[in-house]
Amino acid sequence: MAWILLVVSGLLETVWASALSASRGFSRLTPSIVFAVALLLSMTGLALALRTLPVGTAYAVWVGIGAIGTAVYGMVALGDSVSTARLLCLLAIVAGVVGLKLVS
């Protein structure tokens, strides 16, 4: 259950990071509210997962999921650049996250 909670919390990190960008420095109300709610839920999920999982592993997985999700969102929805090198780097993060799960 802790792993599921951690993955959902990592996905919520993608939501709050994207909403933070869309808020334009908290000058837009709806994205600012989405940011605050997603941040609260993401942190709460991480905190609950840390009751069971080691902090180093859980935090690295949480950040990795958020970083990958945010980068993919940027490429798909916002027109961020896509290159082979960038995709290989994201693949390396995925491999690291999976590796941490397998050795935990």
Side-chain angles (χ1 to χ4, degrees), residues 70-72 74-75 79-92:
T70 305
V72 169
M75 288 185 277
D80 290 355
S81 66
V82 180
S83 67
T84 301
R86 189 170 183 166
L87 293 174
L88 288 173
C89 290
L90 290 173
L91 186 59

Side-chain angles (χ1 to χ4, degrees), residues 5 8-9 12 35-47 62:
L5 191 57
V8 170
S9 297
L12 284 166
F35 162 78
V37 171
L39 179 66
L40 179 65
L41 292 173
S42 181
M43 291 291 180
T44 300
L46 175 62
W62 180 76

Side-chain angles (χ1 to χ4, degrees), residues 39-82:
L39 179 66
L40 179 65
L41 292 173
S42 181
M43 291 291 180
T44 300
L46 175 62
L48 294 173
L50 287 175
R51 291 180 175 173
T52 305
L53 302 173
V55 67
T57 299
Y59 184 72
V61 168
W62 180 76
V63 168
I65 292 169
I68 293 162
T70 305
V72 169
Y73 174 77
M75 288 185 277
V76 170
L78 303 178
D80 290 355
S81 66
V82 180

Side-chain angles (χ1 to χ4, degrees), residues 16 19-29 31-33 35-36 39:
W16 68 251
L20 180 60
S21 175
S23 76
R24 307 280 188 249
F26 300 116
S27 65
R28 297 175 62 212
L29 182 60
S32 298
I33 292 170
F35 162 78
L39 179 66

